[in-house]
Amino acid sequence: MVTVTVWNEFRHEQEDEDAAAVYPDGIHATLADALEGHDPVDEVQTATLDEPEHGLTEDVLEATDVLFWWGHIAHDEVEDEIVDRVQERVLEGMGLIVLHSGHFSKIFKRLMGTTCDLQWREDGATERLWVVDPGHPIVDGIDECIELPQTEMYGEPFDVPEPDRLVFTSWFEGGEVFRSGCCYQRGKGRIFYFRPGHETFPIYENEEIRRVLRNAVEWASPREGSPRTFGERE
Amino acid sequence: MVTVTVWNEFRHEQEDEDAAAVYPDGIHATLADALEGHDPVDEVQTATLDEPEHGLTEDVLEATDVLFWWGHIAHDEVEDEIVDRVQERVLEGMGLIVLHSGHFSKIFKRLMGTTCDLQWREDGATERLWVVDPGHPIVDGIDECIELPQTEMYGEPFDVPEPDRLVFTSWFEGGEVFRSGCCYQRGKGRIFYFRPGHETFPIYENEEIRRVLRNAVEWASPREGSPRTFGERE
Amino acid sequence: MVTVTVWNEFRHEQEDEDAAAVYPDGIHATLADALEGHDPVDEVQTATLDEPEHGLTEDVLEATDVLFWWGHIAHDEVEDEIVDRVQERVLEGMGLIVLHSGHFSKIFKRLMGTTCDLQWREDGATERLWVVDPGHPIVDGIDECIELPQTEMYGEPFDVPEPDRLVFTSWFEGGEVFRSGCCYQRGKGRIFYFRPGHETFPIYENEEIRRVLRNAVEWASPREGSPRTFGERE
Amino acid sequence: MVTVTVWNEFRHEQEDEDAAAVYPDGIHATLADALEGHDPVDEVQTATLDEPEHGLTEDVLEATDVLFWWGHIAHDEVEDEIVDRVQERVLEGMGLIVLHSGHFSKIFKRLMGTTCDLQWREDGATERLWVVDPGHPIVDGIDECIELPQTEMYGEPFDVPEPDRLVFTSWFEGGEVFRSGCCYQRGKGRIFYFRPGHETFPIYENEEIRRVLRNAVEWASPREGSPRTFGERE
């Protein structure tokens, strides 16, 4: 059984009416609700930027199997020491699921080694997420595409390393495409970048998106694997 | 300098008025014209299905650095012996560029190990090929996307192995996406699948598409590399 | 729960004293014994070359979640029709685990698209299989390397496509290396090539090797995934 | 034509007799000598840690097509600002060739997102670098393996992302293996990690190693590619 920690910047929902209307208790509460009580999730805890150590103490991270990350306007306020700590845990095997504007978070840029930049347009037009890897466990039970009536557009080029597996590619009504579901492994940890989730559209209420999030928890959960032994050898 | 052989099924253009109107001398002639006299191409020869050995004798293949492949309605008429011969040459280092409906050719399915199936719709709507790997030599001099006003749609899932490098992803007006520029290596040979090129739209007259084809020749040209020595070892 | 079918050529053990001494009931029996009664394996059945349809009828394959393949001196006797059938099942999601000299089987060559050739020496010297991907579920509970005191050597180059994940790399006493644990996905199916297993060394009695085989079953088991819908689209 | 900058920490050779005996003018001088006057290298410049800005001013980097990096005992003395600058240039297309103990450099760890840790033993025993990708341009003219009579051992696990292409795998007399030639792309830049090169063994005098270094320059040279346009889109 798996313990999930949902990390949220939690600023938009406190400062911006539109975001508060969609996510009154914060994006983290909605995400937690999508995961709680669903196999293989045993426990969900949340953490936010303005808590001490951003809510990501050594103890919290030690107990976390899979960490979700949502941030947007305050990436720079995340302390480097906490980023170091999260990176270390990922390399040891903790799963990390980076959502939407989290593409620009310190932790995602740290793990990717690139700018993670992209093109964008806040037009509220339709997005279709097409499954391009129908055998991947992250799409268990998902149809050939997920349609979201209103989204912010993200367009290529997306400045990330070529994904280990590309699971979703998005089509946007305005004419763009985007690699919107990207799997990586770094150290023993599995990382899933998943594009959907703007703060003023109720995307995390969508049942198919919630199904993907739960599948991603299962996929990203730590495996026992083999020891990582480094240093001088006799 | 590089010798290119353009192989074409050459049936549509002899049987179908619409195709003949667009490609009066055959698709192979238009492709040859796009390549001839352009660095790094030294010589272009063509070969078609109805020639003896489909025009792909041992001598022709031996002299070929990069082979283009266009086929559609007569894939089954290609002799297995010729497919064996082409496969062997690719593994030894010959480049192979598979175009459009060539996705269903025996040689492409042989090299991929999958069905190479996809979804399609002949609607003549707009396609945009977005560059997703801006550092790849196949997109030298290409802008962020290539727009084709009228195409046949190809949609995901595309049943091929995950590409070594994904260079283009297509957006279609009707709502689909497609991995339309896929790079593979098999043995010492480089393979590029490039989607554009329906027989009744003048896509191989498009200057950007022609630029991609020339770039692909350069990318797919054989390298010296290291010996492939197999068998019992002392 | 998972149903496994172990396919074995079963010739060496009937024709050759040394092989019969090591595997008196056939390699398939020893492999079945390694899997039976171990989570996640629910049922193990075996099939051999000389049975009708090589023991791989439509019904048997339909009921198989993961298929093991061991062959060596009679690859050519496997009917193409059965190879087609196995390939189709793999693309639909059945796992396939190809062992040792199975690198030259029709089904592995079919799925890889290459010759799958390599260098070899039957010298009975030591092999060490080093884990190069310690986060992979196939190495759950395995130490940093597995040492086998007596093996046949396989050396590079190994003419296969670059693996999706490389899990083991072998060191041989005689001076060679080999990519000895290679993961692939084709269609919805997962394929694991695992080098150990010469017919005259009791390698499938080794407890660590048996652990890897069981881990591989879990990894290769079919996932639900998303539909593979092909053809004309409205 | 290509301009190369060879960066060297240049401490061992000034502080340690054994290193000074092997590389009296510094490792950078020997590397420069291996490259100068050889196609496609047009110009070679060197830069070292103790120069202002470590010799890597904006102007120097702007003029550099491919940067070599050798460091060992003073990785921490490299200023983060210079690391930022090198990373930015790589993402824009500059090639980067990281040698031996440079695996622990700030710039390599930055681009990989992992610890880049490994096992090691300074035993002066034999290494064989086996070619596992005989079609790769980095092995042009190289035989099936390169033997180095005396080296420091590096062993797996090597904590890096799975390489885009694995070109060499090393065999060590003492019983270990290592992925010793690893290709990556980050942004538009190509990165090659190449293991050989301990400071007290004359490995950069070896003619085959020098051939690999020159091949790597050609492979890593910037391509024109396509624009990387980011930000808001109309």
Side-chain angles (χ1 to χ4, degrees):
Chain A
M1 295 298 282
V2 170
T3 298
V4 173
T5 301
V6 177
W7 191 89
N8 181 17
E9 188 182 276
F10 197 31
R11 290 279 171 85
H12 284 293
E13 307 94 314
Q14 300 189 81
E15 296 170 2
D16 169 34
E17 269 183 33
D18 292 347
V22 177
Y23 294 111
D25 301 316
I27 284 172
H28 52 293
T30 303
L31 290 169
D33 178 67
L35 303 171
E36 243 156 16
H38 292 277
D39 189 49
V41 178
D42 183 44
E43 199 194 324
V44 182
Q45 48 196 2
T46 63
T48 56
L49 180 63
D50 293 324
E51 294 174 53
E53 304 183 47
H54 313 318
L56 298 174
T57 62
E58 294 275 8
D59 286 351
V60 165
L61 284 175
E62 195 56 44
T64 300
D65 294 308
V66 178
L67 177 66
F68 280 73
W69 197 275
W70 200 103
H72 185 210
I73 49 176
H75 293 310
D76 286 347
E77 295 180 42
V78 177
E79 296 293 337
D80 287 338
E81 193 190 330
I82 305 300
V83 177
D84 295 346
R85 195 182 281 173
V86 174
Q87 179 185 22
E88 192 180 327
R89 280 285 296 141
V90 170
L91 299 180
E92 284 168 356
M94 183 181 74
L96 177 68
I97 297 171
V98 176
L99 297 171
H100 193 63
S101 44
H103 73 89
F104 254 168
S105 62
K106 284 184 178 179
I107 183 60
F108 191 57
K109 291 194 288 186
R110 174 78 67 87
L111 287 160
M112 296 293 105
T114 56
T115 67
C116 303
D117 211 342
L118 47 75
Q119 301 200 57
W120 56 275
R121 182 176 57 238
E122 219 174 322
D123 58 2
T126 298
E127 173 181 8
R128 286 181 172 187
L129 292 115
W130 286 91
V131 173
V132 299
D133 186 358
H136 202 285
I138 282 182
V139 295
D140 275 1
I142 299 298
D143 207 349
E144 63 180 9
C145 85
I146 300 173
E147 183 161 325
L148 299 172
Q150 284 201 298
T151 60
E152 178 187 14
M153 184 282 289
Y154 279 7
E156 296 282 345
F158 185 20
D159 186 29
V160 287
E162 179 104 0
D164 296 344
R165 300 298 301 180
L166 176 64
V167 180
F168 288 105
T169 296
S170 284
W171 172 96
F172 292 95
E173 199 179 349
E176 291 83 10
V177 297
F178 193 72
R179 288 169 294 169
S180 49
C182 299
C183 296
Y184 297 94
Q185 190 180 317
R186 292 294 181 266
K188 293 175 77 162
R190 295 176 175 205
I191 302 162
F192 182 53
Y193 174 77
F194 191 47
R195 198 204 85 81
H198 194 58
E199 67 275 8
T200 60
F201 302 114
I203 284 164
Y204 298 132
E205 304 288 357
N206 179 294
E207 274 312 317
E208 289 166 297
I209 296 295
R210 290 161 87 102
R211 175 81 197 258
V212 171
L213 298 177
R214 292 192 290 266
N215 290 343
V217 169
E218 182 150 15
W219 173 80
S221 294
R223 267 67 181 178
E224 179 184 1
S226 171
R228 300 190 341 142
T229 309
F230 302 121
E232 190 165 7
R233 193 178 164 79
E234 287 188 16
Chain B
M1 296 296 283
V2 171
T3 298
V4 173
T5 301
V6 177
W7 190 88
N8 182 18
E9 188 181 277
F10 197 31
R11 289 278 173 87
H12 284 293
E13 308 95 313
Q14 300 189 81
E15 296 169 4
D16 169 34
E17 267 183 34
D18 292 347
V22 177
Y23 295 111
D25 302 315
I27 285 172
H28 53 292
T30 303
L31 289 169
D33 178 66
L35 303 171
E36 241 156 18
H38 292 276
D39 190 50
V41 178
D42 183 44
E43 198 193 324
V44 183
Q45 48 196 1
T46 63
T48 57
L49 180 63
D50 293 324
E51 295 174 52
E53 303 182 47
H54 312 318
L56 298 174
T57 62
E58 294 277 8
D59 286 352
V60 164
L61 284 175
E62 195 55 47
T64 300
D65 294 307
V66 178
L67 177 66
F68 280 73
W69 197 276
W70 200 102
H72 185 210
I73 48 173
H75 293 311
D76 286 348
E77 296 180 42
V78 177
E79 297 292 339
D80 288 337
E81 193 190 329
I82 305 300
V83 176
D84 294 346
R85 194 182 282 172
V86 174
Q87 179 185 22
E88 192 181 328
R89 279 286 296 143
V90 169
L91 299 180
E92 286 167 357
M94 184 181 74
L96 178 67
I97 297 169
V98 176
L99 297 171
H100 192 64
S101 44
H103 73 91
F104 254 168
S105 61
K106 285 184 177 179
I107 183 62
F108 191 56
K109 292 193 287 185
R110 174 79 66 86
L111 287 161
M112 296 293 104
T114 56
T115 67
C116 304
D117 212 341
L118 45 78
Q119 301 200 59
W120 56 276
R121 183 176 54 238
E122 218 175 321
D123 59 2
T126 298
E127 172 181 10
R128 285 181 174 188
L129 292 117
W130 285 92
V131 174
V132 300
D133 186 358
H136 202 286
I138 282 181
V139 295
D140 275 2
I142 299 298
D143 207 351
E144 63 182 7
C145 85
I146 299 173
E147 184 162 323
L148 299 172
Q150 285 201 298
T151 61
E152 179 187 14
M153 185 281 289
Y154 278 8
E156 295 282 343
F158 184 21
D159 185 28
V160 286
E162 180 105 0
D164 296 343
R165 303 295 303 179
L166 177 63
V167 180
F168 288 104
T169 295
S170 285
W171 173 96
F172 292 95
E173 199 179 349
E176 291 84 9
V177 297
F178 193 73
R179 289 170 292 169
S180 48
C182 299
C183 296
Y184 297 93
Q185 190 181 317
R186 292 295 181 266
K188 293 175 77 162
R190 296 176 173 205
I191 302 162
F192 182 53
Y193 174 77
F194 191 48
R195 199 204 84 83
H198 194 57
E199 67 276 8
T200 61
F201 302 115
I203 284 165
Y204 297 133
E205 304 287 357
N206 179 294
E207 274 310 318
E208 287 165 297
I209 296 296
R210 290 162 86 103
R211 177 78 197 260
V212 172
L213 298 176
R214 291 192 291 264
N215 290 342
V217 169
E218 181 150 17
W219 174 79
S221 296
R223 267 67 180 175
E224 178 184 3
S226 171
R228 297 189 340 136
T229 309
F230 302 120
E232 189 164 8
R233 192 178 164 80
E234 289 189 15
Chain C
M1 295 297 283
V2 170
T3 297
V4 174
T5 301
V6 177
W7 190 88
N8 182 18
E9 188 181 277
F10 196 32
R11 291 278 173 87
H12 284 294
E13 307 94 314
Q14 300 190 82
E15 296 170 2
D16 169 36
E17 269 184 33
D18 292 347
V22 178
Y23 295 111
D25 301 316
I27 285 173
H28 53 292
T30 303
L31 289 169
D33 178 66
L35 303 171
E36 241 154 18
H38 293 276
D39 189 50
V41 178
D42 184 42
E43 199 194 324
V44 183
Q45 48 196 1
T46 63
T48 56
L49 179 63
D50 293 324
E51 294 174 53
E53 304 183 47
H54 314 318
L56 299 174
T57 62
E58 294 276 7
D59 287 352
V60 165
L61 284 175
E62 194 55 45
T64 300
D65 293 308
V66 178
L67 177 67
F68 280 74
W69 196 275
W70 199 103
H72 185 209
I73 49 174
H75 294 310
D76 286 348
E77 295 179 42
V78 177
E79 297 292 338
D80 288 337
E81 193 189 330
I82 305 301
V83 177
D84 294 346
R85 196 183 280 174
V86 174
Q87 179 185 22
E88 192 180 328
R89 280 285 297 140
V90 170
L91 300 180
E92 285 168 357
M94 183 181 73
L96 178 68
I97 297 171
V98 176
L99 297 171
H100 192 63
S101 44
H103 72 91
F104 254 168
S105 62
K106 284 185 178 179
I107 182 61
F108 191 56
K109 291 193 288 185
R110 173 79 65 87
L111 287 160
M112 296 294 105
T114 56
T115 68
C116 303
D117 211 340
L118 46 77
Q119 302 200 56
W120 57 275
R121 182 175 56 237
E122 217 174 323
D123 59 2
T126 298
E127 172 181 10
R128 287 181 172 186
L129 292 116
W130 286 92
V131 173
V132 299
D133 186 359
H136 202 284
I138 283 182
V139 295
D140 276 2
I142 299 299
D143 207 350
E144 62 181 9
C145 84
I146 299 173
E147 184 162 325
L148 299 172
Q150 284 201 298
T151 61
E152 179 188 14
M153 183 281 288
Y154 279 7
E156 296 282 345
F158 184 20
D159 186 28
V160 287
E162 180 105 0
D164 296 344
R165 301 297 300 181
L166 176 64
V167 179
F168 288 105
T169 296
S170 285
W171 173 96
F172 292 95
E173 199 179 348
E176 291 83 10
V177 298
F178 193 73
R179 289 169 293 169
S180 49
C182 299
C183 296
Y184 296 94
Q185 191 181 316
R186 292 296 180 266
K188 294 176 76 162
R190 295 176 174 204
I191 302 162
F192 182 52
Y193 174 77
F194 190 47
R195 198 203 85 83
H198 194 58
E199 67 275 7
T200 61
F201 303 115
I203 284 164
Y204 298 131
E205 303 288 358
N206 179 295
E207 274 310 319
E208 289 165 297
I209 297 296
R210 289 161 87 102
R211 176 79 197 259
V212 171
L213 297 177
R214 292 192 291 265
N215 290 342
V217 169
E218 182 149 16
W219 173 80
S221 294
R223 268 67 181 174
E224 178 184 1
S226 171
R228 298 187 341 136
T229 310
F230 302 120
E232 189 164 8
R233 193 178 163 78
E234 288 189 16
Chain D
M1 296 297 283
V2 171
T3 297
V4 174
T5 301
V6 177
W7 190 89
N8 182 18
E9 188 182 276
F10 196 29
R11 289 279 172 86
H12 284 294
E13 307 95 313
Q14 300 188 83
E15 295 170 4
D16 170 35
E17 266 183 35
D18 291 347
V22 176
Y23 295 111
D25 301 315
I27 284 171
H28 52 293
T30 302
L31 289 169
D33 178 65
L35 303 171
E36 242 156 16
H38 292 276
D39 189 49
V41 178
D42 184 43
E43 199 193 324
V44 183
Q45 48 195 3
T46 63
T48 57
L49 180 62
D50 293 324
E51 294 174 51
E53 304 182 49
H54 313 318
L56 299 173
T57 62
E58 294 276 8
D59 287 352
V60 164
L61 284 175
E62 194 56 45
T64 300
D65 293 307
V66 178
L67 177 67
F68 280 74
W69 197 275
W70 200 102
H72 185 211
I73 49 175
H75 293 310
D76 286 348
E77 295 180 42
V78 176
E79 298 291 339
D80 288 338
E81 192 190 329
I82 305 300
V83 177
D84 294 346
R85 195 183 280 173
V86 173
Q87 180 185 22
E88 191 180 328
R89 280 284 298 141
V90 169
L91 299 180
E92 286 168 356
M94 183 181 73
L96 178 68
I97 297 169
V98 176
L99 297 171
H100 193 64
S101 45
H103 73 90
F104 254 168
S105 62
K106 286 185 177 179
I107 183 62
F108 191 56
K109 292 194 287 186
R110 174 79 66 85
L111 286 160
M112 296 294 104
T114 56
T115 67
C116 303
D117 212 341
L118 46 78
Q119 301 200 59
W120 57 275
R121 183 176 55 238
E122 217 174 321
D123 59 2
T126 298
E127 173 181 9
R128 285 182 174 186
L129 292 116
W130 286 91
V131 173
V132 300
D133 186 358
H136 202 286
I138 282 181
V139 295
D140 276 1
I142 299 299
D143 206 350
E144 63 180 8
C145 86
I146 299 173
E147 184 161 325
L148 298 172
Q150 284 201 297
T151 60
E152 180 187 14
M153 185 281 289
Y154 279 8
E156 295 283 343
F158 185 20
D159 186 28
V160 286
E162 180 105 0
D164 296 343
R165 299 297 302 180
L166 177 62
V167 180
F168 289 105
T169 295
S170 284
W171 173 96
F172 292 96
E173 198 179 350
E176 291 84 9
V177 297
F178 193 74
R179 289 169 292 168
S180 48
C182 299
C183 296
Y184 297 94
Q185 190 180 317
R186 292 296 181 264
K188 293 175 77 162
R190 295 177 173 203
I191 301 162
F192 182 53
Y193 174 77
F194 191 47
R195 199 204 84 82
H198 195 58
E199 65 275 8
T200 61
F201 302 115
I203 284 164
Y204 297 132
E205 304 288 357
N206 179 295
E207 274 310 318
E208 287 165 298
I209 296 295
R210 291 162 86 103
R211 176 78 197 261
V212 172
L213 298 176
R214 292 192 291 265
N215 289 344
V217 169
E218 181 150 17
W219 174 79
S221 296
R223 267 66 182 176
E224 179 184 1
S226 170
R228 296 188 342 134
T229 309
F230 302 120
E232 190 165 7
R233 193 178 163 79
E234 288 188 17

